[in-house]
Amino acid sequence: ILNVEQSPQSLHVQEGDSTNFTCSFPSSNFYALHWYRWETAKSPEALFVMTLNGDEKKKGRISATLNTKEGYSYLYIKGSQPEDSATYLCAFGRTDKLIFGTGTRLQVFP
Amino acid sequence: EAQVTQNPRYLITVTGKKLTVTCSQNMNHEYMSWYRQDPGLGLRQIYYSMNVEVTDKGDVPEGYKVSRKEKRNFPLILESPSPNQTSLYFCASSFQRGNTEAFFGQGTRLTVV
């Protein structure tokens, strides 16, 4: 059974704080690593898909790094805003499917 | 607008009454899949389809059926729903299987009483 672990489970930060979360995945047979942002009452939306060891991707204040050899990815949010409040999901991409972690729920207080 | 459309958004039904949740995408994606989301668990794949007339079981297929007669549509069928199928369901599509982003439908919250 392949496990994708995310930590922490939840996080409360003040507006303006920078934060980061971790996704751990199997380091063998790596294919792809996805990050999704899931707001309450909406559907998950893709942030990044990374396929190469050492990949770094950035979208505005959000960035992600990938280490396939040790099996982890970090998602960083710089200067968190209340609108960043959401659950952040990572998914390990195989050739047949995505295996999702349980997510990190972020709440940003004004 | 590129999108995945799921219907209905909310459904309350009784045990044993057959139901279908529809899913349609307009991006000409070959790969489509169904997931369920339960508290404390990650999204779990129910069924997936790699192309028309090609479907396969995911991690939790018991009690569900799917069909893929056309590329754009991938309905989820519950022949005899039971209370343990109460969940939030998502349909998703992608250009390829594991290394391109998935586009999700709006979700269907199903309650079986």
Side-chain angles (χ1 to χ4, degrees), chain A residues 10-47:
Chain A
S10 65
L11 202 51
H12 301 124
V13 301
Q14 288 292 128
E15 182 175 356
D17 287 350
S18 293
T19 187
N20 66 85
F21 340 125
T22 305
C23 174
S24 301
F25 53 86
S27 55
S28 58
N29 298 317
F30 178 80
Y31 192 53
L33 194 283
H34 299 225
W35 281 100
Y36 292 85
R37 182 169 178 272
W38 185 11
E39 289 182 73
T40 303
K42 295 188 177 179
S43 50
E45 290 184 348
L47 288 170

Side-chain angles (χ1 to χ4, degrees), chain A:
Chain A
I1 297 176
L2 291 174
N3 271 335
V4 177
E5 306 281 347
Q6 289 188 248
S7 62
Q9 275 192 325
S10 65
L11 202 51
H12 301 124
V13 301
Q14 288 292 128
E15 182 175 356
D17 287 350
S18 293
T19 187
N20 66 85
F21 340 125
T22 305
C23 174
S24 301
F25 53 86
S27 55
S28 58
N29 298 317
F30 178 80
Y31 192 53
L33 194 283
H34 299 225
W35 281 100
Y36 292 85
R37 182 169 178 272
W38 185 11
E39 289 182 73
T40 303
K42 295 188 177 179
S43 50
E45 290 184 348
L47 288 170
F48 307 113
V49 179
M50 295 184 285
T51 56
L52 297 174
N53 184 42
D55 252 355
E56 291 188 24
K57 300 242 179 178
K58 188 174 181 186
K59 186 182 283 191
R61 294 178 291 99
I62 304 178
S63 60
T65 61
L66 177 67
N67 184 324
T68 62
K69 293 185 188 244
E70 295 181 41
Y72 65 84
S73 175
Y74 294 136
L75 187 79
Y76 300 93
I77 302 179
K78 187 177 175 183
S80 303
Q81 299 296 309
E83 56 266 30
D84 295 327
S85 297
T87 296
Y88 291 83
L89 301 172
C90 77
F92 180 71
R94 292 186 349 181
T95 55
D96 57 344
K97 64 181 178 183
L98 298 179
I99 300 170
F100 283 87
T102 52
T104 293
R105 185 183 172 92
L106 173 67
Q107 287 185 276
V108 182
F109 296 104

Side-chain angles (χ1 to χ4, degrees), chain B residues 30 89 92 100:
Chain B
E30 291 192 347
Y89 292 86
T100 56

